[in-house]
Amino acid sequence: MYDLVLLNGNVNFGDSSKSKKLNIGITGEKISYIGTDTINGKESIDSTGYEVTPGFIDLHTHSDLSFIVDPDADSKLVQGVTFELMGNCGMSFSAPLSKDNKYQLQERLNRYGINKEMDWNNFDDWLTEIENNIPSINVAAQIGHGSLRSYVMGMEARQANPDELNKMKDEIQKACDQGVLGFSTGLWYAPGSYSSAEEIIELAKIANRNNILYSSHIRSESDDSSGLFPAHAEAIEIARRSGVRVQISHVKSVGPKFWGRGYELIEGIEKARNEGLDVAGDQYPYYWSSTPISGCMFPRWSLEGGREKTILRMKDSDIREKIKNETTNFINRFHGAKGCVLADYPEDTNLEGLDLIEISKIKNTTPEESVMQLYEKSEGSFILHSMEEKDVNEIAKYKYMCVASDGNSLKADGPLSSGKPHPRSYGTNTRFIEQFVSGNKIVSFEEAIFRMTSFPAERLSLKKRGKIALNFFADINIFKINEIKENATYVSPHQYSEGMKTVIVNGQISVINGKKVKGRHGKVIRSFSD
């Protein structure tokens, strides 16, 4: 007798093969039977008329603090996400930690109203902290280049010297030994933007040696820095010269100079793959993006040395005007000030949900000066109308494009319910099924499941997750396609998705009829076989 049986479901294996009506037996954490025999279990779920798929794997998240603040963090679980990869865009802000990094981390915790002693410095201790909390889903970590560079060099805008480069290599190796499964860069953000391609190639070689994924928020997604297409080519060149698997993060074309040219990014990835390079991408299915105030509104030269030095520079009226001139260019890439909506601002939550035009009226000044005044008081984040529908749809068609949120695991109540974050944290996978599969029929259901399950598992080299197969961990979703519904909006983002009949994490029922049940069954994943 099995611990749990799923009967008569339409089983989608996750690998794009044809689905079949089958029974599934689960023993402990793993799948122990798949077939047509009559089977019995201590508990059974009638799946007649339902799709049975692997749990969704979100390769691009920023949930590094979510499971410290509140281990339930239900926004992903109730939409069928059973695995997250944290630490993207070069931001593994929980490790490694120096004295300065700890101060910045405490600021992040303060936004949630959490006064917690940070008695960890490395990945092992931090991941153990999450393990002790018991997360609601499976989580794995990456070491972020921006956090690593800041740990070794601070926020200095210069090349790493040989000793510093060797120290960064050593830290990546230590992180791998402690269980990280990826190395990420945020080359658009300071201090990652201060690095050369040669620096990243040398660090990527350490990632390749350990068989971990390299994920990159590339150096530009528009007409700043190197420019979109050279930045895209740089990511591919890193694959060519280091041998590492490259995951180009949240593939997009931003700004009027690049709207309508998203297909060229796909052509670049396809040429790289035809060359034999292991390059793929991920995408969230929205036309609006989100990022910190400093990341989207300030030129990189102005951020050297960290926030305090930036604020000091802004006291010089000439420098302030120079920054604002560049801020104007950023705003224009986001369909103007109306397309810049303040999402998170703990200093004044009344401003959250307002666009820059509305904020500038309140402050009786220009949108650019409003940005300066916001940042002088606190870091925060914007939601930005950065993309066009035709580009998002074109990129969504590509078979080697994982579906990934670029969001956090959040919760509709408690400290994780603060602000007006991007709805992608509550609805990415749901939206992709509801609009891109069922509604606009851009992608077939089988391919969508592949790109949310076995393909991201393959990118991460997970050996026992991402498919419905014997001896694989039983991370499973049961649902009807036409019942899947996204409820989160830009105005009211803290709303759970609907439609999941059942979500199973490591063999344990975690969601019934769209509602989380008592108990948490996720794990911290530190090896490719976990």
Side-chain angles (χ1 to χ4, degrees), residues 332-400:
N332 289 338
R333 291 188 197 128
F334 308 133
H335 291 82
K338 190 74 177 174
C340 305
V341 178
L342 194 61
D344 170 58
Y345 194 63
E347 184 68 25
D348 186 353
T349 57
N350 292 322
L351 297 177
E352 292 173 346
L354 301 183
D355 63 49
L356 266 180
I357 290 178
E358 294 167 323
I359 292 170
S360 62
K361 287 180 179 178
I362 291 172
K363 293 182 174 293
N364 194 30
T365 188
T366 65
E368 291 82 359
E369 177 60 27
S370 294
V371 169
M372 303 299 109
Q373 293 179 17
L374 289 170
Y375 189 65
E376 282 174 322
K377 290 187 176 181
S378 173
E379 177 67 281
S381 63
F382 275 102
I383 293 175
L384 306 159
H385 189 184
S386 57
M387 292 165 276
E388 293 274 271
E389 180 176 357
K390 57 187 175 183
D391 289 313
V392 173
N393 292 351
E394 194 67 33
I395 292 167
K397 295 175 184 177
Y398 187 50
K399 59 184 176 181
Y400 297 121

Side-chain angles (χ1 to χ4, degrees), residues 171-350:
E171 289 297 328
I172 293 175
Q173 186 59 57
K174 286 179 188 177
C176 290
D177 294 341
Q178 293 171 5
V180 305
L181 300 188
F183 167 56
S184 76
T185 54
L187 300 180
W188 190 50
Y189 299 104
S193 58
Y194 305 143
S195 65
S196 65
E198 286 74 15
E199 175 182 317
I200 307 304
I201 289 165
E202 289 304 306
L203 299 178
K205 289 177 181 178
I206 307 301
N208 183 49
R209 185 186 305 164
N210 288 275
N211 194 35
I212 64 171
L213 182 67
Y214 167 56
S215 306
S216 183
H217 180 134
I218 59 178
R219 206 171 291 274
S220 175
E221 295 169 334
S222 188
D223 58 351
D224 53 357
S225 185
S226 65
L228 171 60
F229 295 118
H232 209 255
E234 180 188 32
I236 293 169
E237 185 64 20
I238 290 167
R240 184 177 289 117
R241 291 171 59 183
S242 71
V244 76
R245 293 193 312 284
V246 172
Q247 187 75 11
I248 300 177
S249 297
H250 39 59
V251 178
K252 62 171 81 81
S253 52
V254 173
K257 293 180 181 178
F258 296 100
W259 290 330
R261 302 182 67 183
Y263 69 93
E264 294 181 48
L265 301 175
I266 301 307
E267 290 175 350
I269 295 175
E270 191 66 11
K271 286 179 180 178
R273 293 184 67 87
N274 290 338
E275 185 184 329
L277 303 179
D278 197 345
V279 180
D282 54 64
Q283 179 200 38
Y284 50 88
Y286 295 87
Y287 316 127
W288 291 60
S289 56
S290 183
T291 205
I293 294 173
S294 56
C296 62
M297 295 293 177
F298 282 75
R300 296 302 167 259
W301 60 263
S302 71
L303 301 174
E304 182 184 1
R307 184 166 176 271
E308 289 185 4
K309 289 191 176 181
T310 299
I311 292 172
L312 188 61
R313 290 186 188 99
M314 290 162 61
K315 295 184 183 299
D316 183 309
S317 59
D318 290 338
I319 295 176
R320 191 182 188 93
E321 286 305 309
K322 187 177 179 182
I323 293 172
K324 285 196 288 187
N325 286 338
E326 295 200 40
T327 299
T328 299
N329 294 332
F330 291 132
I331 291 172
N332 289 338
R333 291 188 197 128
F334 308 133
H335 291 82
K338 190 74 177 174
C340 305
V341 178
L342 194 61
D344 170 58
Y345 194 63
E347 184 68 25
D348 186 353
T349 57
N350 292 322

Side-chain angles (χ1 to χ4, degrees), residues 91-110:
M91 303 174 191
S92 59
F93 41 77
S94 292
L97 288 179
S98 64
K99 182 179 178 180
D100 290 340
N101 288 352
K102 279 197 171 185
Y103 171 75
Q104 294 169 0
L105 181 58
Q106 187 61 61
E107 278 195 329
R108 289 178 179 271
L109 286 168
N110 290 344

